[in-house]
Amino acid sequence: MHKLSEIKPNFIQELYDAFNGVNLKNGFTLLEEDFADTSYLRRYPHQYPYDIDGENCFSKQNLLDEIKNSSLLPEEKNDLTLAIEEGKRVNNQYITWDTVPFEYLDKYANGFYFITPNVYVFYTAALIKNLILNIEYFKGVAFDKWLSRLLMENLDHTMLIKLNNHQSSIIKKFLYTLLSDNYILEYIDVANIKKAIQLL
């Protein structure tokens, strides 16, 4: 097996080939899903994107106050505020998966638990590309959240039907490579990596 740094040049091209044409379409972004979770929007009925006339937790003003006082990234704060004020969805800044920065993936990693299968495929390519280019990113939480969501497939397998054979093969190659890199092994759960490989 090779270390991650040794497969980088060819692997990036393989990643582009495998995930060519993958996009979000109308799927909800990590930011939207993460915010919906942390602001408790999921717990109570509401009109999407936000119940402008709602009371209590989901009034327009309460949501705006929550955003203002949150630790969201500045650009995302502005986008969410604008979406709530205009009653629209958040503007997605990252149209293609190769433009999604790691900071975004890591900041809103809780969204991995809620995104749809198609959206998961989109962010899978983005995350793997970022991790290949900078192994320091394994110190963040994004990889663990992504892997945890993949392992949830043991229950219903709704995600895997969205991965074609080429994509599954690339992900397995990536995961196998992690097992041979001593530096990365300090930050990952080997048992979960092996489970994911079997799952794919």
Side-chain angles (χ1 to χ4, degrees):
M1 282 192 209
H2 300 288
K3 290 184 178 180
L4 208 55
S5 59
E6 295 171 353
I7 70 163
K8 185 187 299 185
N10 294 333
F11 189 84
I12 293 293
Q13 186 56 55
E14 290 178 42
L15 190 67
Y16 272 95
D17 292 342
F19 290 87
N20 182 40
V22 170
N23 56 61
L24 278 178
K25 298 181 181 174
N26 291 322
F28 293 124
T29 64
L30 280 179
L31 167 64
E32 289 175 297
E33 296 289 14
D34 184 270
F35 181 72
D37 180 53
T38 56
S39 64
Y40 301 101
L41 284 172
R42 292 183 203 288
R43 295 193 181 182
Y44 306 97
H46 65 283
Q47 178 183 348
Y48 197 85
Y50 306 103
D51 189 351
I52 294 174
D53 299 318
E55 298 178 0
N56 303 322
C57 296
F58 305 116
S59 70
K60 180 178 177 181
Q61 190 55 53
N62 282 352
L63 286 172
L64 290 173
D65 289 342
E66 183 176 339
I67 292 168
K68 181 180 178 182
N69 298 319
S70 73
S71 62
L72 294 166
L73 298 172
E75 289 182 355
E76 277 71 41
K77 273 189 182 184
N78 293 337
D79 286 346
L80 268 171
T81 299
L82 189 62
I84 291 172
E85 288 176 342
E86 297 183 357
K88 298 178 180 177
R89 281 191 57 187
V90 177
N91 177 45
N92 176 31
Q93 300 178 47
Y94 310 112
I95 305 303
T96 59
W97 58 262
D98 60 336
T99 60
V100 182
F102 182 77
E103 184 182 26
Y104 178 93
L105 296 167
D106 206 53
K107 183 72 175 176
Y108 307 117
N110 282 336
F112 276 112
Y113 294 116
F114 307 105
I115 53 178
T116 61
N118 284 329
V119 175
Y120 182 88
V121 174
F122 176 86
Y123 286 117
T124 290
L127 180 64
I128 291 176
K129 177 184 177 242
N130 276 283
L131 293 171
I132 287 282
L133 294 176
N134 189 343
I135 61 173
E136 294 299 316
Y137 290 153
F138 281 96
K139 295 178 181 178
V141 299
F143 178 75
D144 285 338
K145 303 285 187 181
W146 170 85
L147 185 63
S148 294
R149 177 60 187 88
L150 180 62
L151 293 175
M152 290 167 65
E153 283 302 298
N154 279 325
L155 303 176
D156 56 20
H157 291 280
T158 56
M159 189 82 65
L160 297 180
I161 58 172
K162 303 299 181 182
L163 293 168
N164 63 38
N165 290 338
H166 193 187
Q167 291 164 348
S168 293
S169 175
I170 288 294
I171 296 169
K172 284 173 75 171
K173 180 177 179 179
F174 169 70
L175 294 176
Y176 269 122
T177 305
L178 301 185
L179 297 176
S180 63
D181 196 307
N182 290 331
Y183 179 79
I184 294 173
L185 288 176
E186 295 181 30
Y187 303 102
I188 62 174
D189 186 319
V190 172
N192 282 343
I193 295 288
K194 291 179 177 178
K195 285 180 189 175
I197 290 171
Q198 290 180 338
L199 194 61
L200 291 164

